[in-house]
């Protein structure tokens, strides 16, 4: 292990396991609300979500442990207006994702409020999952400073990243999330 304190402060395996359980809880909630463990489209999404998480986290664990430690860094106290605003935004994003995870299975399986999409729309959705996954992974791969907080990482000698997918777009993680959200909107 490196003698660099930023690299040697790996995230514990227990913390990673708890994070995996947290991520796996989202598909579990989705299937519980759908009331159908055989829901094919739900399985596609669940496997995509958990698989992408494992790939990204595994990549960070082995290739960029300083980024993984940064992503698991505590939020600190919200004493400034900026910090409170950031926490408020994070709460709204969480509640939006929760609503998204709740409404889709209720519509698609439990109550069938809208008719099922034609197969071509499902295939396009699968293609968009691939695009979203690519953008999300590359955001982590190309930017070692991709913190979960808005902060300058002076201790890690943060700089503006302009290589990889960042050479084409400024916010690939937001773009990947946007593509993902559009998939859900196509159904509900």
């Amino acid at each position: 292990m490196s003698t660099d304190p930023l690299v040697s402060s790996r995230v514990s395996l227990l913390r990673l396991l708890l994070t995996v359980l947290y991520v796996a809880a989202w598909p579990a909630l989705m299937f519980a609300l759908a009331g159908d463990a055989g829901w094919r489209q739900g399985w596609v999404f669940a496997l995509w979500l958990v698989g992408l998480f494992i790939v990204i986290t595994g990549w960070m664990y082995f290739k960029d442990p300083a980024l993984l430690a940064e992503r698991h860094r505590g939020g600190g106290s919200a004493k400034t207006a900026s910090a409170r605003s950031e926490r408020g935004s994070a709460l709204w994003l969480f509640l939006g994702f929760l609503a998204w995870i709740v409404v889709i299975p209720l519509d698609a399986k439990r109550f069938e409020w809208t008719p099922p999409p034609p197969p071509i729309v499902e295939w396009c959705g699968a293609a968009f999952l691939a695009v979203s996954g690519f953008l999300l992974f590359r955001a982590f791969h190309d930017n070692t400073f991709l913190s979960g907080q808005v902060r300058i990482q002076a201790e890690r000698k943060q700089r503006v990243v302009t290589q990889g997918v960042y050479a084409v777009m400024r916010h690939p993680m937001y773009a990947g999330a946007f593509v993902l959200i559009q998939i859900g909107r196509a159904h509900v």
Side-chain angles (χ1 to χ4, degrees):
M1 190 175 276
S2 172
T3 58
D4 180 351
L6 294 173
V7 174
S8 63
S9 62
R10 284 194 183 263
V11 175
S12 74
L13 288 175
L14 175 62
R15 188 155 186 188
L16 287 175
L17 177 62
L18 292 173
T19 306
V20 167
L21 293 175
Y22 169 78
V23 170
W26 291 108
L29 173 63
M30 209 172 61
F31 283 108
L33 291 169
D36 183 358
W39 178 32
R40 183 178 47 85
Q41 296 89 341
W43 277 106
V44 168
F45 178 74
L47 291 172
W48 175 87
L49 179 69
V50 173
L52 182 65
F53 169 79
I54 289 170
V55 166
I56 290 173
T57 303
W59 184 88
M60 287 189 294
Y61 187 81
F62 292 109
K63 299 291 186 178
D64 196 348
L67 174 58
L68 184 61
E70 176 64 30
R71 297 293 299 181
H72 279 84
R73 177 185 169 93
S77 61
K79 293 182 180 178
T80 67
S82 172
R84 284 190 300 273
S85 174
E86 181 184 334
R87 290 234 172 144
S89 296
L91 176 63
W92 281 110
L93 285 171
F94 173 80
L95 292 174
F97 185 72
L98 176 62
W100 193 69
I101 290 292
V102 166
V103 170
I104 290 174
L106 290 176
D107 174 31
K109 291 306 285 180
R110 176 75 65 169
F111 300 114
E112 297 178 337
W113 294 318
T114 59
I120 187 69
V121 172
E122 288 185 2
W123 284 104
C124 288
F128 284 138
L129 278 178
V131 169
S132 176
F134 171 79
L135 291 171
L136 292 168
F137 175 76
R138 288 307 301 229
F140 286 91
H141 179 276
D142 297 342
N143 186 357
T144 190
F145 306 109
L146 193 60
S147 180
Q149 305 171 28
V150 177
R151 71 182 201 89
I152 302 297
Q153 299 171 51
E155 73 283 1
R156 294 184 62 215
K157 297 179 176 52
Q158 182 177 358
R159 60 179 169 59
V160 175
V161 176
T162 58
Q163 74 271 3
V165 74
Y166 285 87
V168 179
M169 63 180 62
R170 186 70 262 146
H171 298 291
M173 188 162 65
Y174 295 152
F178 178 77
V179 170
L180 177 63
I181 290 167
Q182 296 314 306
I183 296 167
R185 283 192 50 209
H187 186 77
V188 293

